[in-house]
Structure formats: structure tokens, C-alpha cells
Amino acid sequence: KDLTMYDSATNKFAKVRSMNLVQEIGMVSYVFSDKTGTLTQNIMELRQISIDGEVCGKPPTAAGPPTENCKKHFTGFEDVVAAKRKIGETKVSKFMEVLAVCHTVIAEKAANGEIEMEAESPDELALVQAAVDMGWSFQHRTSDELEVVVDGKKRVYGILGINAFTSARKRMSMLVKSDKGEYILLAKGADNIMMDISSSVPGYLGDQLYKFACQGLRTLVICQKTVPEKEALAWVEKYKAAQNAMTDRDKQLDELATQVEKAIEIVGITAVEDKLQDHVADTISRVKKGGVKVWVLTGDKLETARNIGFSCSVLSNDMEIIVLDTEASARTPQEQMSDALETARKAHLNKAVGLLITGSMLETVLINLGESLLELGEMCDVVIACRVSPSQKGEVVKLVRYGVKPSPVTLAIGDGANDVAMIQEAHVGVGISGKEGTQAVNAADFAISQFSFLMTLLLVHGRWNYRRLSKFILYSFHKNIVQCFQLFTYTFLCAYSGTSLYEDWVRNSFNLIVGFPVIFLGFFDRDLDRLQSLEDPEGYSVGRLGQELNMMKMTFHTGQAIVLSLIITMVTLLTYDAFAVSKMADYYTWGTVCYVCLIVSMLYRLAYMMTTWNWIVVLALVLTFLGTWFALLVCGSLTTLMGGVVSQLLASPLQWVCMLAVPLFAMVVDLCLDAIRLAVECASSKHSLGDMIGKVDEKVPGGLPACGVRPQGIKAQFFQQDLPSFQRHTTAKTVSGGLLCSGVALVILGAALLSTAGVPMAQVQYAGNALVGKNADELTVQQCAEGSQCNISFRVKDAMQGPIYVMYSVDPFYMNANHYMKSGSISEVKGQFGSKSAAETACTSALEESGERLWPCGLKAASLFNDTYELRRRTDYKRIEIKETGIAWDSDLNWLKNPKEYPHKAGTRWLYERFPSIANLEKDGVRSEHFAVWNRPAALPNTVKLWGVIEEDLAAGEELSLYVSSYFPVSDFDGRKSFILTKKGALGGRSDELGLVLSVVGALGIALGVVVLVSHVAGRTKLSKVADQQPYKNLDTQAADPGSQVAPTAVPPADAIGRTTPSSVESAVTEVHDF
């Protein structure tokens, strides 16, 4: 709960009633506001009355404290006494009789004996209480009677009928029978309505109504007439029948009210003051500075609306004010609108423009001149519509919402039932929980207790929520684009077969994992604190203009996502051969390496987007990283070939290097872009780069400093802000520091990977076209025909000490093709012989032409690599032992099993019968380590597998003879086969190409970081020299356009923002970070 939006008078907090619109309060372009109870306190005080032209009471500016005689509700008691002597007591009594009797107030006696009153509206209560002060004391009422005490004497009035006030009728009346037996119609209502139904209009009426309205007072015309008994009784009979009607009851009652409310006598005027709420003017001023247009829609008279407009700073004396009123001008609405447009076009270029339009004019405009009103309204800073009905309020909002292009976000704020139409029509509805019931609150999306809270709602929470949601959307698109582009890139490496880069369960966990930490960005992230947001209302334009979420932003983030995806792909591709030496180049393991790099890069991206850091944010990122490994363990339990992957990755230093290299690489790229952006911003701001980068440790008056300077946040009474936090902004200091740190880290990683170039290796290609780009000293090419045995001599360039890894390569061989991977039965290689029909379902070639069943079935078993190697020294032809054990994962050998029928089941062609060249295959069956290695499909077309291990040492330059039995066919797909000898370094095999890339990128990052740092120091030095000659506060003025005068916005006092002052806010002055 926001304690600065707490109203102690009503004991209510601001309330969010719709969570779907929290972002739209940061994008509002138009605010439509009611006046009574919204801008005003809805605490009515009767200031002045007019009885037969005699004005009693003092105007609001002159009204002092109540005198003893007038008690507490009206200050004009002595004037009323004087009026009795001047115009006679009868006229005064008629006026007082209407005030004391014509109402719906309920009176009850309290325990202390005093009468307590409750009314439907505060202005009605103010009139009755004022009548009590002037000697007409309302006591109580029943359904049939009403009792009033006048000068100590009781009067009882019989209630014959009540014609209730409605927004359409704008009046109420009562037909009563006095204790003298007279039938009297008492009425009060809006001046234009009462004048139409009166018998005559007194000459004083117009002038006095105008004077009262100019003082900002709400006026009612008081009327009464005596009704003949016969006419009254006939009307009462019809009234009772209409009350009991089952259909059209309201229509019949309205018609009867119109019948009796004719030729009534005007006896006076009441002028009630409804004071403005606290800080209304400041709220409207700040909201307007945020670029929001304010439209006030009220039922008051034109003069009252004008006066209130000046009081709450909606209107000002230096503003061009245009008035559209059909009653005050003989010109047609079309002519008035044409003149208004011409005036606005000339004036709005040089000064602010305001529009006052009456309900009668609005009625014509909404039908025929809607587009003209929109054009005029867009040139006006404020529009005040007066004498408008609730339905017209809704129509005005609808006109702006759907008529203005591009479509703006509209907000309507009100406190009563007559505001429901416009609240429901606007994008965002705000209800004020005031004194006119809860209809507006119930129809609204947000509920507040004071109009001044709208400033905090829009400028603070609106800005925060818009930026948070924008980041959330950009991050959501970013993460999905990175993943999808990775999958798209992998399509070119899997024969376009549609194989996913990650195992299915792993892929499905992606959004669940990376969707968790972004929640905390939505909780805590903010670029400015509350007071800074209020101090700089111009910053609200970020949301209003959609600067944080637009097509350009989406395009930029899409490009960033594609670059990040390419970085991940490049890093993992350049380490593929090194992973092969570590027995981690299979589809499941290498794909999981890519997945982990993807998760880490997404955590980096989220961290880079975050401005506010606290321990909860850090904990969320750490838990997400740990949760990734937990999810992978779960996936390993669900998919057989994923078993053991996590343990292999955790034990692989190369995997951790990749996991660090990806975010560091991306950070250098992002910081380079930020450095360019900051330089461009500075170049376009009339400040030199040195000046702007050097603005550090200075207090900048009047809103946000220019060109990317961001102030440090301070605490306020929110849970999300009470937490100790660190604000990370994109400044020269953070950019240079980030570039230097990430660049140094990349150079260190690059150096480690470059050291793998010294891993000795020898390669013999004995089938297919020669490899391009390989070191000629390490590569021997000699063709060996399929089905033959060959002796190939080659030389070992560098000395190798055991253990030496013997590997083979088949390229290209798409073990990662979708149909290849899905062919086969896991249950078979787990030891279940199964039925022939089940085998045919799992494998496309489960039977041979002879009808014999193949076991195990599938393309993996059918394409088992069956070339054999023998290695001898050329000097003495001594055979070098190649151990063909220990080449498979122990976890795979634990679940690979032969069926109990093995190898004697009749009608079955076993694996060893198909590949007799493989040693010990008959003995081991599917538990053969060669089969276990082959059963893990390679992640890329370059299939590199471990064949054996040599424990003996090989001398540098030693000549060896390789005896190859070439059985594995590659001629059909123009493939290559190679025999490889290599050592396993600390990071597996060779990754020097990646090391070179990282070293170059790191060096570039360091160089750019030094450039930014030097510029930063130079800027500080220049700023210090300037500060010695003149106050710093003049620096911005000198850099601005000549003659421009920008007055600083003072930091608002805490009590100007809410009823409760945050105890944690000790000062509104905060430290400003350097650019």
C-alpha cells in the first residue's frame, strides 16, 4: 500500500480494482475530470442567498468565521434580519420554507439530544442546516409528514408527492399541505430550468446569478406556488396511480412532475461554495507538464466553471480563452466553431489556448461538428465543458477516444453516479471515494480519496508500471526470438529435418525457467524514485509517446536477440571438436550446453535491463540458475539418453568457459552500443562529450539533468522501496567500467582457449575429398576403398604422452536428422525382446528380406560404424595397443542390456552377425562400448566419436603405420572418413579459434572502455575549471538556446503529495550520478 496515497480523513488507501490496466496509467494523453466532489471537497457551505433581490451573506473571499448568532453554517444571519425589515417577512418566510421543507434529508436525535441529519447530497444538507441557523429548524419526517420548528413554534407539513431530482430534470419539487390547509408546491433547481417553468423572471435574477457564478459559487433558484385544492387532489390521485404502475413508472412520474411544475414563482437564489481540494492546482499543473491534456466536464454554469478553472490553474490570464455558447451569441454553432478554429490556429503557436463550451453548444457539436471539436481540442491545452449532462460526458470521452488519431489513452475521474458514463467510456476509470456514494468507485479501475493522488497515480505509478511492462514485453520477445533463431539456425545443420536443438523436455522447460526472474523486474524496477518522478513531470511523456515500447524498440531488440543467438551458436560450434574429445559431442549433451548458455544469456539480458538491484533480485537470479540444473536433472529422469548429461556438464571446465563467454561477449556488444547511443545523445544536446560525460557529483536543479544523467534513488514508504537497493544506470562510468571488466575477462578466457592450440593431434583421412583448412603437418590423406584393408603411413608432428585418444570422424553424417533419431526402440536396447509387431512399429526396417527379425532394430543399429584400426611403429613394426574400453559413458552401460533370448533366438539376426568386424561384439551385444558410443547420436553432421585409448607415448616426428579395414560406406553420400590421434587438455580438445575471437573482442572492449574513461576524466577536469570561474547552475543555461528561460521545478513538499508524510523521506535532494 502506498502510504502517500492514504487519506486520514476517510481512513482509505488507494485501491487497484483492475490489474489489466496498470500500464495504461503511464500512457494517458487525456484526463477528463468532473468538478464537484472531484476537484472540490464536496463540503458545501451556504455563502450567500438572494431573497427578492436582497443579497444576504458575504462572498467567499470576504467570508470570515461564523458569528455567534448564525451558529456555524451561514454567515449572513444579520443580513436576513435586515431583509425582513426591508422587503417584509412574508417573502423571507417563503424562501425559508422551501429550504426547510423541500428536501429528502433524514433527521434523527442523537444520544446527547442533538439532531443529526443525513442527506443524499451535501449541497442539500448545507441548505437545510443553513435554514436551521436562520430559525427554520427541521426536526424529523415520516413517509407522510415533515415537522419544522419556526421561532419555537412547531409546523407540520403533509407530504403529498415528491418529484425527485435527476440529472435530466435538474430540479426537485414537493407538493405539501401546510398546517393552515394550503396546498403548496415547493421547488428548487438549476437556473436555466427554473426560469423556463416560472411564471415570470425577476429583473435582478440574471445579474445576481452571474455575480455568484463569477465567485465560483454553485447556484440554485428557489421557487414555490400555491396550488388550488381541487387541482392538488386530482394530481395526488394520478401520482399515487403512477407510483403503483407496473410499466413505464418513471415516465409517468416525469410527466406528472412536468404537469404540476408550471407557472411557479421565483422567490430567491442560494449560492453554495464547494471549496477546492488541497493541491488541486499543483496536481493539474504537474499533470499538464507531463503533456497530458485536461478536460473538465461539469454541470455548473459557464461563469462558475470559468472561475473554478482559474482557481485550480486550469486557466491562466496569459491564455487565449475561446468561449462557445449558443445562448450568449446570435451566431450559429457552425459559425462559432469556424471562428474558434481560426483563432486557435493563430494563437496556439505562441501561447496556450483554453476552450469553454456549454452543454447546449455541445449538443449540436456532438451531432454535426465532432471532427471540428477534435481539431479545436487538440490545439487547446485545456477544455472546460459546462452545463453538461452525464450522457454528454460519456459522449465527449467517446468522441476523443475514437476520433483522435493516433488513438490516445484516455482517463476519466469522478466521484458520483453522474460520472459513471464517462468513467466506463474511458480507457482508464478513476473513482474518488467521496460523499456521493460508491457508484463511481464501483465502475472505476482505480479508487482514490483525493484528486491530488492522481498526480502520484500517473507520474509515479503510471511511469513505473509502463516502463516495467515495456521491459517485460521486450524481454519476453527477446528470449523467444533468441531461442527460435537458435532453432532456426540448427535447421541448416540437421538436414532440414526439423530436429530441435534441445531435447523435448528441456525445450519445454525454457519459458518456465526464464519466466520466473522477470517477475521481480515488475516488482522492483524503477529508474526514478517517487519524488524525482514528481519533480520531473516531463518524464511522463516517455509513456505517453510510447518511447519505451514501439516499432523501433522492437526492431532494435529483435536485432539484439539475433546477435545474441549468433553469439551462442558461434561459441558452441567453435568448441564442438573440443567437446568431442570429452565425449560430449552427442546431441543430448551438446544441445544441453547450448541450452545452458541460452539460459545464462537470458539471465544476463534480464540483469542488463534491470535498473534496481536488491537482495531479492539477486536471489531470484541465483535461484533461476540453480533451478536450471534441477530442471535438467528432472529431464534426465524422464529421457533415458539425458541420463548422466548433468554430471558430464558439471565436470566439464569447457562448459563453464562457454557459459561465461556468452554473456561477456554479449555485454561487450551491448556496452559498445550504449557508448554510441550516449555519444549521439550528447552530440544532439548542444553539450560537448567532455562536458556531458564530466557532469558528476553535482546537484542539478530543476528536474532531470540533460543527456542521460540519472539520479540515485532514495527510499520511500513502499515495501518495494524500503529494501536496500542499488540503482544501475547507463552512464559513462558504468559503460567504461563494464567494457574494461568484460574485456579483461574475455581476454583471460581467450588466452586460456588459445593455449589449447598446443594440444598435439594427427589426422589421417582415408575416404572422401581432402579437408580444407587443416594443418598439412598434421593431416595425411590417402584413399582406402570401401571393403578393403589399407596400410597408411603418417608422421606424428608433436610428441604425445599417454593417454592418447583414438577417434574417428564421419563427415557429413546426419545422425541428428529427425527420422534417424526417432528410428529405434529404447525398450529393446534395455533388454526387452518384444513382439515383432512392436518392433515394426518402432522401426522402419525391423525385418530383413528373408523375414528374419533384426535386433536391435532401427537406423542406429543398422548403420553402426564398423571400420577397424591397427597401429604399428614404422621402425620395428611393433603393434601399439589400442584399448577399446572406457570409451563409453558408465551411465549408458548401466541401462544397455541384452534380452534373455540373446544370442540363441531362432529367426533373429543379431547385431554381431551384421557387423562381424567389431571385436567382442558377439560377447557384449548392445553392451559393447562401440555400440554405446554410436548409440548417442552426434549433434552435428561432423560425427566425431571415440574409438579407443593408447597408453603408450609417441615421440615427435615418429612414423606410424595405420592398418585400416574400411567397411563403413560413405561413397553414397560423398562423405569423408578420418582417423584421429589427439591428447585431451584441461579444456578437452582444441578451441583456439574461439580463443582468438574472444581475445579480439575483449581487446576491442578494453580499447573502447579506455576511450570512454579518458573522455570521462577529461570532462571532469574541464568541468572543474568551469566551476572555478562560475557557479555550476549556470552551465545548463549557457548550453541552452539563447534567450530560453527554463525555471526549475521545486521539489514538492511531502505533505503536498499525500496526507501522510513518509517518515523515511528525510530529504528531497538526492545525489546525481555522472553521465
Short mmCIF file of all heavy atoms in Angstrom, two decimals, residues 353-391:
data_model
loop_
_atom_site.label_atom_id
_atom_site.label_comp_id
_atom_site.label_asym_id
_atom_site.label_seq_id
_atom_site.Cartn_x
_atom_site.Cartn_y
_atom_site.Cartn_z
N VAL A 353 -3.91 27.80 -25.26
CA VAL A 353 -5.29 28.05 -25.66
C VAL A 353 -6.21 27.24 -24.76
O VAL A 353 -5.95 26.06 -24.48
CB VAL A 353 -5.53 27.67 -27.14
CG1 VAL A 353 -6.98 27.91 -27.53
CG2 VAL A 353 -4.58 28.44 -28.05
N GLY A 354 -7.27 27.87 -24.27
CA GLY A 354 -8.29 27.18 -23.48
C GLY A 354 -9.65 27.32 -24.13
O GLY A 354 -9.92 28.32 -24.80
N LEU A 355 -10.49 26.34 -23.94
CA LEU A 355 -11.82 26.34 -24.55
C LEU A 355 -12.88 26.15 -23.48
O LEU A 355 -12.76 25.24 -22.64
CB LEU A 355 -11.92 25.21 -25.58
CG LEU A 355 -13.32 24.96 -26.18
CD1 LEU A 355 -13.79 26.15 -26.99
CD2 LEU A 355 -13.32 23.70 -27.04
N LEU A 356 -13.89 27.03 -23.51
CA LEU A 356 -15.07 26.89 -22.67
C LEU A 356 -16.26 26.64 -23.59
O LEU A 356 -16.52 27.43 -24.49
CB LEU A 356 -15.32 28.15 -21.83
CG LEU A 356 -14.28 28.48 -20.75
CD1 LEU A 356 -14.55 29.85 -20.16
CD2 LEU A 356 -14.30 27.43 -19.67
N ILE A 357 -16.97 25.55 -23.36
CA ILE A 357 -18.10 25.21 -24.22
C ILE A 357 -19.27 24.77 -23.36
O ILE A 357 -19.09 24.05 -22.37
CB ILE A 357 -17.71 24.09 -25.23
CG1 ILE A 357 -18.87 23.78 -26.17
CG2 ILE A 357 -17.20 22.85 -24.53
CD1 ILE A 357 -18.49 22.87 -27.32
N THR A 358 -20.45 25.24 -23.70
CA THR A 358 -21.64 24.94 -22.91
C THR A 358 -22.31 23.67 -23.41
O THR A 358 -22.06 23.21 -24.52
CB THR A 358 -22.64 26.10 -22.97
OG1 THR A 358 -23.05 26.29 -24.33
CG2 THR A 358 -22.00 27.39 -22.45
N GLY A 359 -23.19 23.14 -22.56
CA GLY A 359 -23.89 21.91 -22.91
C GLY A 359 -24.78 22.08 -24.12
O GLY A 359 -24.91 21.16 -24.94
N SER A 360 -25.42 23.24 -24.25
CA SER A 360 -26.30 23.46 -25.41
C SER A 360 -25.49 23.48 -26.70
O SER A 360 -25.91 22.94 -27.72
CB SER A 360 -27.06 24.78 -25.23
OG SER A 360 -26.15 25.86 -25.05
N MET A 361 -24.33 24.11 -26.66
CA MET A 361 -23.46 24.11 -27.83
C MET A 361 -22.92 22.71 -28.09
O MET A 361 -22.83 22.26 -29.24
CB MET A 361 -22.30 25.08 -27.60
CG MET A 361 -21.31 25.15 -28.75
SD MET A 361 -22.01 25.97 -30.20
CE MET A 361 -20.60 25.98 -31.30
N LEU A 362 -22.60 22.01 -27.02
CA LEU A 362 -22.04 20.67 -27.15
C LEU A 362 -23.04 19.72 -27.79
O LEU A 362 -22.67 18.81 -28.54
CB LEU A 362 -21.61 20.16 -25.78
CG LEU A 362 -20.69 18.95 -25.74
CD1 LEU A 362 -19.38 19.24 -26.46
CD2 LEU A 362 -20.41 18.54 -24.30
N GLU A 363 -24.30 19.92 -27.50
CA GLU A 363 -25.34 19.05 -28.07
C GLU A 363 -25.34 19.11 -29.58
O GLU A 363 -25.47 18.09 -30.27
CB GLU A 363 -26.71 19.48 -27.51
CG GLU A 363 -27.84 18.57 -27.93
CD GLU A 363 -29.16 18.96 -27.27
OE1 GLU A 363 -29.15 19.86 -26.41
OE2 GLU A 363 -30.19 18.36 -27.63
N THR A 364 -25.16 20.31 -30.13
CA THR A 364 -25.10 20.46 -31.58
C THR A 364 -23.78 19.96 -32.14
O THR A 364 -23.72 19.29 -33.17
CB THR A 364 -25.29 21.94 -31.96
OG1 THR A 364 -26.53 22.40 -31.45
CG2 THR A 364 -25.25 22.12 -33.47
N VAL A 365 -22.71 20.27 -31.43
CA VAL A 365 -21.38 19.91 -31.90
C VAL A 365 -21.20 18.39 -31.98
O VAL A 365 -20.64 17.87 -32.95
CB VAL A 365 -20.30 20.52 -30.97
CG1 VAL A 365 -18.94 19.90 -31.26
CG2 VAL A 365 -20.26 22.03 -31.16
N LEU A 366 -21.69 17.67 -30.98
CA LEU A 366 -21.52 16.22 -30.97
C LEU A 366 -22.23 15.55 -32.14
O LEU A 366 -21.83 14.48 -32.59
CB LEU A 366 -22.04 15.64 -29.65
CG LEU A 366 -21.19 15.95 -28.40
CD1 LEU A 366 -21.89 15.44 -27.14
CD2 LEU A 366 -19.81 15.33 -28.53
N ILE A 367 -23.27 16.18 -32.65
CA ILE A 367 -24.04 15.60 -33.75
C ILE A 367 -23.42 15.96 -35.10
O ILE A 367 -23.23 15.10 -35.96
CB ILE A 367 -25.50 16.07 -33.68
CG1 ILE A 367 -26.16 15.58 -32.38
CG2 ILE A 367 -26.27 15.58 -34.90
CD1 ILE A 367 -27.56 16.11 -32.18
N ASN A 368 -23.06 17.23 -35.27
CA ASN A 368 -22.67 17.69 -36.60
C ASN A 368 -21.22 18.14 -36.72
O ASN A 368 -20.68 18.19 -37.84
CB ASN A 368 -23.56 18.87 -37.02
CG ASN A 368 -25.04 18.48 -37.03
OD1 ASN A 368 -25.38 17.41 -37.49
ND2 ASN A 368 -25.88 19.36 -36.52
N LEU A 369 -20.58 18.52 -35.61
CA LEU A 369 -19.27 19.15 -35.70
C LEU A 369 -18.23 18.42 -34.85
O LEU A 369 -17.33 19.04 -34.27
CB LEU A 369 -19.36 20.62 -35.25
CG LEU A 369 -20.33 21.50 -36.04
CD1 LEU A 369 -20.47 22.85 -35.37
CD2 LEU A 369 -19.84 21.67 -37.48
N GLY A 370 -18.35 17.10 -34.77
CA GLY A 370 -17.44 16.33 -33.92
C GLY A 370 -15.99 16.47 -34.35
O GLY A 370 -15.10 16.67 -33.52
N GLU A 371 -15.72 16.36 -35.65
CA GLU A 371 -14.33 16.46 -36.12
C GLU A 371 -13.76 17.84 -35.88
O GLU A 371 -12.57 17.99 -35.54
CB GLU A 371 -14.27 16.11 -37.61
CG GLU A 371 -14.60 14.65 -37.92
CD GLU A 371 -14.43 14.34 -39.39
OE1 GLU A 371 -14.03 15.26 -40.14
OE2 GLU A 371 -14.71 13.19 -39.79
N SER A 372 -14.59 18.87 -36.01
CA SER A 372 -14.11 20.23 -35.74
C SER A 372 -13.77 20.41 -34.26
O SER A 372 -12.77 21.06 -33.92
CB SER A 372 -15.18 21.25 -36.16
OG SER A 372 -15.45 21.16 -37.53
N LEU A 373 -14.59 19.82 -33.39
CA LEU A 373 -14.30 19.91 -31.95
C LEU A 373 -12.99 19.19 -31.62
O LEU A 373 -12.20 19.68 -30.81
CB LEU A 373 -15.45 19.30 -31.15
CG LEU A 373 -15.26 19.27 -29.62
CD1 LEU A 373 -15.11 20.69 -29.09
CD2 LEU A 373 -16.43 18.57 -28.93
N LEU A 374 -12.75 18.06 -32.26
CA LEU A 374 -11.50 17.35 -32.01
C LEU A 374 -10.31 18.17 -32.48
O LEU A 374 -9.27 18.25 -31.79
CB LEU A 374 -11.51 16.00 -32.73
CG LEU A 374 -12.44 14.92 -32.14
CD1 LEU A 374 -12.38 13.68 -33.00
CD2 LEU A 374 -12.05 14.60 -30.72
N GLU A 375 -10.42 18.78 -33.65
CA GLU A 375 -9.33 19.61 -34.15
C GLU A 375 -9.07 20.78 -33.21
O GLU A 375 -7.92 21.11 -32.90
CB GLU A 375 -9.67 20.12 -35.55
CG GLU A 375 -8.56 20.97 -36.16
CD GLU A 375 -8.94 21.51 -37.53
OE1 GLU A 375 -10.02 21.16 -38.05
OE2 GLU A 375 -8.15 22.32 -38.07
N LEU A 376 -10.15 21.39 -32.74
CA LEU A 376 -10.01 22.51 -31.81
C LEU A 376 -9.44 22.04 -30.48
O LEU A 376 -8.55 22.68 -29.90
CB LEU A 376 -11.38 23.17 -31.60
CG LEU A 376 -11.42 24.37 -30.65
CD1 LEU A 376 -10.49 25.48 -31.14
CD2 LEU A 376 -12.85 24.90 -30.53
N GLY A 377 -9.91 20.88 -30.01
CA GLY A 377 -9.45 20.36 -28.73
C GLY A 377 -7.99 20.00 -28.74
O GLY A 377 -7.29 20.16 -27.73
N GLU A 378 -7.48 19.52 -29.88
CA GLU A 378 -6.06 19.16 -29.96
C GLU A 378 -5.16 20.38 -29.91
O GLU A 378 -4.00 20.29 -29.50
CB GLU A 378 -5.80 18.36 -31.23
CG GLU A 378 -6.38 16.96 -31.21
CD GLU A 378 -5.89 16.11 -32.35
OE1 GLU A 378 -4.66 15.89 -32.45
OE2 GLU A 378 -6.72 15.69 -33.16
N MET A 379 -5.69 21.54 -30.30
CA MET A 379 -4.90 22.77 -30.21
C MET A 379 -5.02 23.43 -28.85
O MET A 379 -4.27 24.36 -28.54
CB MET A 379 -5.35 23.75 -31.31
CG MET A 379 -4.98 23.32 -32.72
SD MET A 379 -5.39 24.56 -33.96
CE MET A 379 -7.17 24.36 -34.08
N CYS A 380 -5.95 22.98 -28.04
CA CYS A 380 -6.18 23.58 -26.73
C CYS A 380 -5.44 22.80 -25.65
O CYS A 380 -5.37 21.58 -25.68
CB CYS A 380 -7.68 23.59 -26.40
SG CYS A 380 -8.66 24.64 -27.49
N ASP A 381 -4.91 23.54 -24.68
CA ASP A 381 -4.27 22.90 -23.54
C ASP A 381 -5.29 22.41 -22.53
O ASP A 381 -5.02 21.48 -21.77
CB ASP A 381 -3.32 23.90 -22.85
CG ASP A 381 -2.15 24.27 -23.74
OD1 ASP A 381 -2.33 25.14 -24.61
OD2 ASP A 381 -1.07 23.68 -23.57
N VAL A 382 -6.45 23.06 -22.50
CA VAL A 382 -7.50 22.66 -21.57
C VAL A 382 -8.86 22.95 -22.20
O VAL A 382 -9.00 23.91 -22.96
CB VAL A 382 -7.35 23.40 -20.22
CG1 VAL A 382 -7.52 24.90 -20.41
CG2 VAL A 382 -8.36 22.89 -19.20
N VAL A 383 -9.79 22.08 -21.91
CA VAL A 383 -11.17 22.27 -22.37
C VAL A 383 -12.08 22.13 -21.15
O VAL A 383 -11.95 21.19 -20.37
CB VAL A 383 -11.56 21.23 -23.44
CG1 VAL A 383 -13.04 21.38 -23.81
CG2 VAL A 383 -10.68 21.37 -24.67
N ILE A 384 -12.98 23.09 -20.98
CA ILE A 384 -13.97 23.04 -19.89
C ILE A 384 -15.35 23.03 -20.53
O ILE A 384 -15.72 23.97 -21.24
CB ILE A 384 -13.83 24.21 -18.92
CG1 ILE A 384 -12.45 24.23 -18.29
CG2 ILE A 384 -14.90 24.15 -17.84
CD1 ILE A 384 -12.21 25.37 -17.33
N ALA A 385 -16.09 21.96 -20.29
CA ALA A 385 -17.46 21.86 -20.78
C ALA A 385 -18.38 22.04 -19.58
O ALA A 385 -18.26 21.33 -18.58
CB ALA A 385 -17.70 20.51 -21.44
N CYS A 386 -19.27 23.00 -19.66
CA CYS A 386 -20.17 23.30 -18.55
C CYS A 386 -21.61 23.03 -18.95
O CYS A 386 -21.95 22.97 -20.14
CB CYS A 386 -20.00 24.73 -18.08
SG CYS A 386 -20.03 25.95 -19.41
N ARG A 387 -22.43 22.86 -17.93
CA ARG A 387 -23.86 22.54 -18.16
C ARG A 387 -24.01 21.27 -18.99
O ARG A 387 -24.88 21.17 -19.86
CB ARG A 387 -24.58 23.69 -18.86
CG ARG A 387 -24.80 24.94 -18.03
CD ARG A 387 -25.66 24.66 -16.84
NE ARG A 387 -26.13 25.87 -16.18
CZ ARG A 387 -26.69 25.90 -14.99
NH1 ARG A 387 -26.80 24.77 -14.31
NH2 ARG A 387 -27.10 27.03 -14.46
N VAL A 388 -23.16 20.28 -18.74
CA VAL A 388 -23.25 19.04 -19.49
C VAL A 388 -23.97 17.98 -18.66
O VAL A 388 -23.84 17.93 -17.44
CB VAL A 388 -21.86 18.52 -19.91
CG1 VAL A 388 -21.22 19.46 -20.90
CG2 VAL A 388 -20.95 18.34 -18.72
N SER A 389 -24.69 17.12 -19.32
CA SER A 389 -25.39 16.02 -18.66
C SER A 389 -24.46 14.81 -18.57
O SER A 389 -23.44 14.75 -19.25
CB SER A 389 -26.64 15.66 -19.46
OG SER A 389 -26.28 15.16 -20.75
N PRO A 390 -24.80 13.84 -17.73
CA PRO A 390 -23.96 12.63 -17.65
C PRO A 390 -23.78 11.93 -18.98
O PRO A 390 -22.69 11.44 -19.28
CB PRO A 390 -24.72 11.76 -16.64
CG PRO A 390 -25.47 12.72 -15.79
CD PRO A 390 -25.86 13.84 -16.71
N SER A 391 -24.84 11.88 -19.78
CA SER A 391 -24.71 11.22 -21.08
C SER A 391 -23.77 12.00 -22.00
O SER A 391 -23.00 11.40 -22.78
CB SER A 391 -26.08 11.08 -21.74
OG SER A 391 -26.68 12.34 -21.94
#
